[in-house]
Structures are given as structure tokens and as C-alpha cells.
């Protein structure tokens, strides 16, 4: 439990930064994030709505999963918080990221199984402003994950487990492209 609390504190550290400039308003936009994660299927596309205010950017999106089996259904939600210590005005911008993700994976096979995953990661990345309003970026983040498994499979290796019973470390990479209005 101590390890979980310590990792959660490190991951949420960008949210505690209050060195932001006050601006009258922010700007909305959209982004497409692509994530690669060690726990779930490697290719996820997440169209997101973004909001940039000062040195902070929030992203909220729902996942699309192009490479899944015909007897499978995957739903996912993602929330990203990016903090740009030096702002977003230059060509190359570094940022700290806090990433929260929920994934529901339902398999309709001979023994139906449902998995629910929660990920809380923190990391570092960079963003390149290509031309007015358009940017591309990438990041690497590490954090904690947990999952719930409900299965009707009678074999001992497929026993059900509850969310927050087990925690594990997670490493993820993201690539994104976006536009700010």
C-alpha cells in the first residue's frame, strides 16, 4: 500500500504545480492520441477534445480499437492533464503528463470473460508546433494499474478477481496530433 501511495503522489505531482500565468480565457481544440500499453492491446486510437488554459492542457476522449477480434468488444475512456512549464509558444515544448485511463474488454467466447482495467500514469513528453494551431507530440509514462476479471470459466487459472485486489506497474507510450482553435 505504501508503494501505491508513493507512486500515486509522483504521478499526480503535475496537478500540484501552481506556477501558471493568469489568462482571461483558454482555447479549445481536438487531438487524436495513439497509445501503446503493455497490459492491453497495442493499438488504441483516442479522439479527444482539448482545452488549453495558460500552461495547462486537459484532454478527454473515448477510444477506438481498430484491431480486435469479431467476438470481442472494447470500450475505453481517457483523461490526460499536460503541464507545460515553459508554455506552448515556442517550436519545441516539453511537458509533464498525468494520464488516467479506463478500459472495458468483453470477450464472447466459449467461456465469456469481462475485464475492467484502470491505469494511473505520470510521465514526460515533448510537443512540436508545426504551423499555426497544429502540433504533434509524444510521451512516455509509467504508473500503476489494476484490473477486474469476471469469467464463467471453471478452471482455476481463470478465477474472478475484484478491482483493486492486485496492483501492477505499467509502462505506456503515446503519440498524438492535434489542432487548437
Amino acid at each position: 500500500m505504501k508503494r501505491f501511495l508513493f507512486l500515486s503522489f509522483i504521478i499526480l505531482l503535475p496537478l500540484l504545480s501552481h506556477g501558471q500565468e493568469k489568462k482571461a480565457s483558454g482555447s479549445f481544440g481536438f487531438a487524436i492520441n495513439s497509445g501503446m500499453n503493455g497490459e492491453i492491446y497495442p493499438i488504441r486510437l483516442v479522439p479527444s477534445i482539448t482545452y488549453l488554459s495558460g500552461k495547462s492542457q486537459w484532454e478527454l476522449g473515448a477510444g477506438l480499437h481498430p484491431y480486435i477480434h469479431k467476438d470481442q468488444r472494447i470500450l475505453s475512456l481517457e483523461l490526460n492533464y499536460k503541464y507545460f512549464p515553459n508554455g506552448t509558444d515556442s517550436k519545441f515544448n516539453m511537458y509533464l503528463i498525468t494520464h488516467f485511463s479506463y478500459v472495458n474488454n468483453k470477450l464472447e467466447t466459449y467461456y465469456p470473460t469481462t475485464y475492467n482495467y484502470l491505469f494511473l500514469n505520470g510521465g514526460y513528453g515533448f510537443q512540436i508546433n508545426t504551423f499555426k494551431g497544429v502540433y504533434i507530440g509524444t510521451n512516455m509514462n509509467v504508473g500503476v494499474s489494476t484490473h477486474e476479471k469476471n469469467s464463467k470459466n471453471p478452471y482455476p487459472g481463470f478465477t474472478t478477481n475484484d478491482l483493486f485486489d492486485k496492483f501492477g506497474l505499467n509502462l505506456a507510450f503515446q503519440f498524438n496530433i492535434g489542432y487548437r482553435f
Side-chain angles (χ1 to χ4, degrees):
M1 186 66 175
K2 290 178 187 177
R3 184 175 74 165
F4 172 71
L5 291 174
F6 179 71
L7 282 173
S8 296
F9 175 73
I10 296 297
I11 290 165
L12 295 174
L13 197 57
L15 292 174
L16 300 175
S17 302
H18 294 289
Q20 301 177 13
E21 300 171 358
K22 293 198 176 205
K23 283 192 169 182
S25 65
S27 61
F28 283 96
F30 62 89
I32 296 177
N33 295 318
S34 174
M36 195 173 351
N37 187 326
E39 288 289 323
I40 54 176
Y41 295 95
I43 298 176
R44 285 190 326 147
L45 297 175
V46 183
S48 302
I49 295 172
T50 66
Y51 180 72
L52 176 70
S53 177
K55 295 182 179 183
S56 298
Q57 179 172 315
W58 294 88
E59 299 177 355
L60 178 64
L64 302 173
H65 305 273
Y67 300 106
I68 61 174
H69 304 290
K70 65 179 179 177
D71 57 348
Q72 182 178 28
R73 176 188 55 97
I74 300 178
L75 302 172
S76 66
L77 295 172
E78 190 172 283
L79 175 67
N80 291 324
Y81 170 75
K82 295 178 182 177
Y83 176 69
F84 296 88
N86 299 324
T88 59
D89 296 332
S90 64
K91 183 86 167 164
F92 298 100
N93 303 302
M94 300 296 182
Y95 61 86
L96 300 170
I97 184 170
T98 299
H99 170 82
F100 175 75
S101 184
Y102 166 76
V103 178
N104 175 279
N105 184 2
K106 185 173 183 177
L107 300 168
E108 293 291 340
T109 57
Y110 187 68
Y111 292 112
T113 306
T114 302
Y115 295 91
N116 292 306
Y117 295 94
L118 288 177
F119 300 98
L120 180 60
N121 294 359
Y124 191 74
F126 70 92
Q127 186 170 291
I128 301 170
N129 291 329
T130 55
F131 52 92
K132 183 141 179 87
V134 177
Y135 61 88
I136 58 173
T138 187
N139 67 64
M140 181 189 85
N141 50 62
V142 65
V144 293
S145 66
T146 184
H147 73 279
E148 172 188 42
K149 177 174 58 171
N150 296 318
S151 177
K152 296 180 183 174
N153 194 327
Y155 298 110
F158 290 93
T159 59
T160 61
N161 66 309
D162 293 328
L163 203 60
F164 303 114
D165 276 352
K166 298 177 184 176
F167 291 96
L169 292 176
N170 179 44
L171 178 65
F173 300 96
Q174 286 183 326
F175 175 77
N176 59 56
I177 184 166
Y179 177 74
R180 292 187 193 105
F181 302 111

